[in-house]
Amino acid sequence: MTPAVAAPVLGGPALPQRRSLVTALPGPRSQEILDRKAAAVASGVGHTVPIAAVAAGGGVVVDADGNSLIDLGSGIAVTTVGNAHPAVVAAVQEQVARFTHTCFMISPYEEYIAVAEALNRLTPGDHAKKSALFNSGAEAVENAVKIARKATGRQAVVAFDHAYHGRTNLTMALTAKSMPYKSGFGPFASEVYRAPLSYPYRDGLTGSDAAARAISLIEKQIGADNLAAVLIEPIQGEGGFIVPADGFLPGLADWCRENGVVFIADEVQTGFARTGAMFASELFGVVPDLITTAKGIAGGLPLAAVTGRADLMDAAHTGGLGGTYGGNPLACAAALAAIEAYESEDLPARARALGDILGERLRALAAADPRIGDVRGRGAMIAAEFVDPATGAPDAALTSAVAKACLAEGVIVLTCGTYGNVIRFLPPLAIDDDLLREGLEVVASALAGV
Ligand code: PLZ
């Protein structure tokens, strides 16, 4: 059935950049579509913003009733370059008319190879690198672990408290939080171990003390000889935008190098200009052996990658890595256009500028309101952690009330954190400064009102 949207609405930066609500949310047309969702789509696939989107671009998402919402989530850090970015749209249109699929494992094509070359060039370190392309972040993480195991001949993998790496079987095991990601879906993959993170707001440890704590656990409970890989998000995404103390990541990476353990940075959420650097690893001075990317890589099309040391990447036998759709030509065309924009528009600098606006406003709010216990993040990846001022205990109820109040006023914000008490800000880098400021004022009054 063709969706009965009244008139075609084009997305991209040409959309009026304003917050405008013409109905309460959800409006009647969105509600009809959401009713069909409830009837036709499995309940396990939830949603947090009660609208049906019809267009998006710059800093707004437009719904089926004509409401225009400020987008401070980028579809979970995906449309970093901007939704329906004109160069991405043009590249996909050109590609879709030429060919849509051959399967790279059957008849290779240049677009995939060009994406691999760009990733090899852009990721940290000037050593020889290779890449392989996949469809989702979880698939990239699974393949990074496969590669590390094959290269080392070892099986164990260490992931961290609060980690999020995906929803497939191996990545569920790597992900820390039970509800909603794992509960009832076991048994999980074996040889996955969990180590304590550096969480400065809550543990008060220096980076090197936190690294020593994790390394001691790894040596005692696993043993370096059994360990294929240490897998970590340089700044945790779903776990609550936790920025490790200085020295934590270098401490782990050095220990990995000394012990022949593959250091894998999961940059699925932090990658591609989001944190004010092309990759967050750069902010901490670490050069990962392998790096997983997805989300921001292709301006909204599904694409993911593992990139890293050529000797490791070549450890898997021919035919050992792949998939029908991995590195689909439309996704690769989109990635090439998006990467060109990240570089030519200096989007890491744009992320830093947006981060200044976010950080300044949120820190001012925190100074005046003890319910904000911590403001943290880098670039356009900033979060506020909400607590009970008396005890410092996480306050998930306050957090979800603030997020709901923001939505009702036409501002899309996302929550995260093991305890559900963090609001994260991930605006598209194409948002206007003024629109971001307006969104933050809505957050401020939402907080004042609950
Ligand atoms: N690694 C660091 O952030 C995806 C998940 C949302 P996929 N994060 C958003 C949800 O509830 O499913 C993510 C991530 C990091 C891996 C992944 C997984 O990426 O593309 O969702 O598989």
Side-chain angles (χ1 to χ4, degrees), residues 126-164:
D126 47 18
H127 51 287
K129 285 178 238 158
K130 286 193 166 183
S131 291
L133 304 186
F134 304 97
N135 301 294
S136 68
E139 211 189 335
V141 171
E142 292 241 1
N143 278 279
V145 171
K146 281 169 65 173
I147 291 164
R149 284 178 168 160
K150 191 77 202 273
T152 58
R154 304 172 181 174
Q155 295 187 349
V157 181
V158 162
F160 287 81
D161 285 337
H162 312 289
Y164 183 91

Side-chain angles (χ1 to χ4, degrees), residues 12 62 64 68 88 111 118 125 182 211 219 236 294 313 337 375 383 404 417:
V62 175
S68 177
V88 171
E111 292 79 2
K182 304 167 74 162
E219 287 177 337
Q236 278 192 338
M313 292 297 296
V375 173
K404 279 206 180 68

Side-chain angles (χ1 to χ4, degrees), residues 76 135-139 141 164-167 181 233 237-238 266-269 294-295:
I76 323 186
N135 301 294
S136 68
E139 211 189 335
V141 171
Y164 183 91
H165 297 292
R167 295 174 179 271
Y181 306 123
E233 300 153 83
E238 306 305 305
D266 181 350
E267 295 234 23
V268 165
Q269 192 151 161
K295 291 192 187 277

